[in-house]
Amino acid sequence: MNVKHYGRQQLRRSALAVGLGLCLAGGAAHAQSNTTGGIFGSVENQQGTTVTISSPSTGFTRSVPVEKDGRYRVTSLPPGNYTVTLENNGAAVSSRDNVVVTISNNTSVPFGAAASATQASTLEGVSVTATALPSIDVSSVDTRTVLTAEQLNKLPITRDVLAAALLAPGVIGNSSYKDALGNPVPSFGGSASSENAYFINGYAVTNPLTSIGLTQLPFDAIDQQQVLTGGYGAEFGRSTGGVINIVTKRGTNEWHGGVYTIWEPQGTRASPRNSSYPDTGFYPATDGTLYQYQKRNNYWRSTVGAYASGPLIKDTLFFYVDAEMNRREGEGIATSTTAGAITSASVGRNGWNEYKYKIPRWLAKIDWNITDDHHLELTGVSDKTEYDSKTYGFSYADLAHGDTQNGGVYQKDGGDLYVGKYTGYITDALTVSALYGQQRLDHVQSPFGYDPNCPLVVISTAASRAPGINYGSCQTTSTAVRVPGAEDKTDGWRFDVEYRLGDHDIRAGADRQEAKSFTGTSLPGGFSWTYSQQNDPAGAIDAGHGVGSPAAAGGLGNQGYYVIKSYTTTSAKVKTVQESQYLEDHWQASDRWMIYAGLRNEQFKNYNGANQVYAKQRHQLAPRLGVSWDVFGDSTLKVYANAGRYHLAMPNNVAVRAASGSLNTTEYFTYTGVDANGNPTGLASVPVNQAAGYTCNGSNATSANLECGTAPDPRTVAAKGLKSHYQDEYIAGFDHALSPNWNWGAKATWRQLRSAIDDTCTPALGGACFLFNPGTGNTFLQLQDDGSFVERHYSKDELGLGSLKRKYYALDLYLEHPFADKWYGRIDYTWSRSYGNTEGQLASDLDTGNGGQADVSVTQDWDLPQLMVGANGRLPNDRTHQIKMFGYYQLSDDLRFGINANISSGRPKNCTSFYPTADRGLYNGSFYWFCGLPGQQGYEFSPRGSHGSAPWTYLVNLNAAYTPSWFDRHLTFQVDVLNVLNKQRPTTYNFRYASSRTTPSPLYLRELNYTDPRVVRFTARYDF
């Protein structure tokens, strides 16, 4: 649909290194759930008959027999430290302490003449003693990064789940889509930022309305954060990007508690860059001058938190609770382009913004060891964001703001999540688990002094102001007004069974999640007036939809001035239901070969506001295959490969416009004046040719997608037999231990989007929009005048939209120095290419300052055949080069230093303009892959990504921590400097060359986003 913007492997070493180094790459040799790990190994010469796994911190104990071939394994263990004891007829033969189990990984602990305590190593290669020799994980087939709580506290990163994910190779931040606090939502391997999946303690917490972002939790409550970048098993689905999987801390037999405070003073934050008009060569009055004053846009941020954990009943019942209050207060030019730009009608009333964020978060967890064989855990998470804004007038003449509040808004978003999980060890070979969860998110909005009878006023450009006319506004807000009672709800369950049969670890499971949303917005005052101008008064404003010229309506239209009356109103109660079943087998075929095979089947249903199914996909089979080869049989060189298919569902927001009664119209007038409230006077309607077929209900109001406020019949919304969005992926790589202190490896990745769901409004279908599968033929039910339906198939050529293409290939290299000689370090280099004619579910290239297109899975990409001309090229998430470096140096027991650097080449740049000819049904905007003004000198074909790249970005973060021994190391002081070089590089631009078919845009190539300014963060914490 036409544009609507989105607002704003392996580490190995000691148990100590587990807490400090990154556990990178590597899947489990044996089946594990997304919240547990395991322990396996071999016993030489039949020294024992039983292996007992025990947790001193929780009293948990489990014994398994040693098999005839000398192997043993224990699965579905909660992450933590364990003691592994080999017993012979009840008598202990040998024991290994401090065996660390991490999420979805296994720990290898061998017993035998050649084994010692220093040789016990995790499947991720983490030994139980600091002097262990390195070993490569020879049974992994996927690629992952596992971050522990200690790592998250000790590396200099932004304290945010999304920011932590950027440590993983091949993951970038997409500045066109951000969370409430401005953190970019990550893109994995060229995929759109909506194509990720997020879990907390096994429950899906992906945004149920848009799939962009997630429910967060107190950062200090994270025990481990797993970032899956590819090759993940059949247990995971509903993602064609990456998976962020979080396991929270839990209580033990030891009492622990602590308090912490984190402060980013406003005075330590560097001033952000001002935004200037670009040098277009057409507008000497504005070229290179100030567009938006941002030097005084500054804020302070703080976090105050406390936690406690311990036993309610020793060895049986434990609790953990963490609560924190995050605050941010600042001031500056309002970020909305309708309230902050020099050209704005409202800057004199609401251009200056003073705001406060208050983000209370808490987590509570109960773990109950009913017996050694039966466990129950309950988790509660709360994540709420309150935003309170007060706006005042601002004068660009003297860069001063007023003292009288004229506008503002109070918003509250978020809610609570509750999850329960049962794990049962039925026999030594059989384990079952069951999970159920519910979540509710509320969305409240109260604009200050909001007048529902006062419309929004927008000035397109500085040239849109007619001389001698004062353009004011009585509206106090430029933010879309939410429907009262907006909310999202989810509830879901999953059931998993694991069975060990000889050399096979077999897992099977099923899950279901239902997401409901009540959502909707309208423009402030119900509609807007947008004042515009074009250089040729006699030229049609929008010939493709039958709209005539300004001069034809007289008034100021004779000079090219006109005004647009727009309605953008949505309201719907919608629902999605997602189900899946999977079966997988980890087969240890020999001492050197592990083979993985899995199959996932998924079903998706999407419901409209009348609770009717308008789109569904069934029998979506996703095979997953992998192999790992221990080349020399000594875990020093591993070669691995995997292949898989991954499906993705449409989120709830698709139904808001595609399947509900949305209203999206524009009506054009000329005028002779403007009253004190910003309403045009002397209105004269610009002639419209209604025979073009894009007017609503016989009026002159046009709708490019025929969104006239009437919901379509659900049987006609989507193509029959609609296939889901899915992608194929292939990965091959190796890991090599060069020496005890150095490891390196390489990985090659290929991803190809095979099927997508989007909407098309191609004239072949009459101008309205329908969900379909791009790049192939589609069959639609078409409503006839007599109420009957006719089934009609359209070939790809008849639709005129070409083939679907999104491909990504990459080469990842890493070099790692595990923690030894007081330091740890790792460097990753990724060379990649992401290209095609669609980003996927999103459209970042449409960002003009307010974010990319917000209509997830119903983007503008496939609406018209003309939009696809030149669309093939480098995609917005392409970053050819990425270099990531991080590590730390333990200077003494009291003093530690850390570094985190991310150096990346820039995002591709474009030039888009109007189509060469004003064809029927064309969107009247600078959306097409041409550069210049149609029919004028210099106008040329301009394929996607053909105008170079944004500058390289250089982010270097440093920290230092002091933990005094004279305070028994309970107290820690830490200083982090983020972006120490203060390199504020532009990350994206306004790519729209023209504001009309005859008028260049004064904003073409305006810098939209910059990397954040330097800031200093102070942390003090006391742990006991």
Side-chain angles (χ1 to χ4, degrees), residues 8 175-176 178 275-276 291-292 294 337 844-851 907 985-991 1003 1005-1010:
R8 297 272 188 220
S175 60
S176 292
K178 300 181 179 181
S275 177
S276 299
Y291 175 77
Q292 197 169 54
Q294 299 180 148
T337 55
S844 300
D845 283 333
L846 296 177
D847 188 359
T848 59
N850 286 337
R907 173 174 168 172
R985 295 298 183 94
T987 57
T988 189
Y989 298 79
N990 185 332
F991 299 133
L1003 302 180
L1005 289 185
R1006 183 175 78 86
E1007 298 170 349
L1008 302 181
N1009 297 296
Y1010 303 97

Side-chain angles (χ1 to χ4, degrees), residues 544-609:
H545 295 104
V547 181
S549 68
L556 288 172
N558 292 318
Q559 302 174 49
Y561 296 99
Y562 61 96
V563 64
I564 308 168
K565 186 177 185 180
S566 300
Y567 288 87
T568 304
T569 305
T570 59
S571 180
K573 290 183 177 180
V574 293
K575 180 176 71 173
T576 62
V577 176
Q578 303 176 17
E579 300 174 305
S580 73
Q581 307 80 37
Y582 76 93
L583 176 66
E584 64 181 16
D585 178 21
H586 291 78
W587 175 31
Q588 196 67 46
S590 71
D591 290 341
R592 298 192 182 191
W593 289 90
M594 193 282 295
I595 297 174
Y596 168 82
L599 182 65
R600 183 178 178 89
N601 183 28
E602 299 192 89
Q603 305 87 44
F604 305 141
K605 288 184 180 179
N606 293 72
Y607 295 77
N608 65 9

Side-chain angles (χ1 to χ4, degrees), residues 4 6 174 176-178 185-187 191-196 210-213 648 651 653 725 757-758 806 837-846 852-862 875-877 944:
K4 178 180 178 183
Y6 181 80
N174 184 351
S176 292
Y177 296 93
K178 300 181 179 181
V185 180
S187 164
S191 298
S193 295
S194 62
E195 297 177 26
N196 306 324
T210 66
S211 293
I212 302 174
L648 183 67
N653 79 289
H725 175 117
I757 296 177
D758 212 310
R806 187 184 77 187
N837 56 16
T838 180
E839 181 182 352
Q841 286 192 331
L842 299 177
S844 300
D845 283 333
L846 296 177
Q853 187 173 3
D855 303 302
V856 183
S857 204
V858 280
T859 72
Q860 182 177 284
D861 285 355
W862 299 92
L875 293 169
N877 293 317
R944 187 197 296 265

Side-chain angles (χ1 to χ4, degrees), residues 829-912:
Y829 169 73
T830 300
W831 180 90
S832 64
R833 181 69 71 185
S834 176
Y835 66 99
N837 56 16
T838 180
E839 181 182 352
Q841 286 192 331
L842 299 177
S844 300
D845 283 333
L846 296 177
D847 188 359
T848 59
N850 286 337
Q853 187 173 3
D855 303 302
V856 183
S857 204
V858 280
T859 72
Q860 182 177 284
D861 285 355
W862 299 92
D863 286 5
L864 302 170
Q866 295 89 338
L867 289 166
M868 298 307 299
V869 177
N872 184 49
R874 293 175 60 205
L875 293 169
N877 293 317
D878 178 70
R879 304 293 186 273
T880 304
H881 305 282
Q882 295 177 65
I883 302 171
K884 299 183 180 184
M885 299 177 287
F886 43 84
Y888 44 83
Y889 177 62
Q890 193 76 41
L891 180 63
S892 67
D893 290 341
D894 295 355
L895 194 59
R896 184 191 73 249
F897 299 93
I899 184 172
N900 173 34
N902 189 328
I903 301 170
S904 175
S905 58
R907 173 174 168 172
K909 293 170 66 175
N910 306 311
C911 178
T912 60

Side-chain angles (χ1 to χ4, degrees), residues 24 145 233 277 303 404 497 517 927 1020:
L24 297 172
T145 297
Y277 279 92
T303 299
T404 302
V497 178
S517 296
F927 308 129

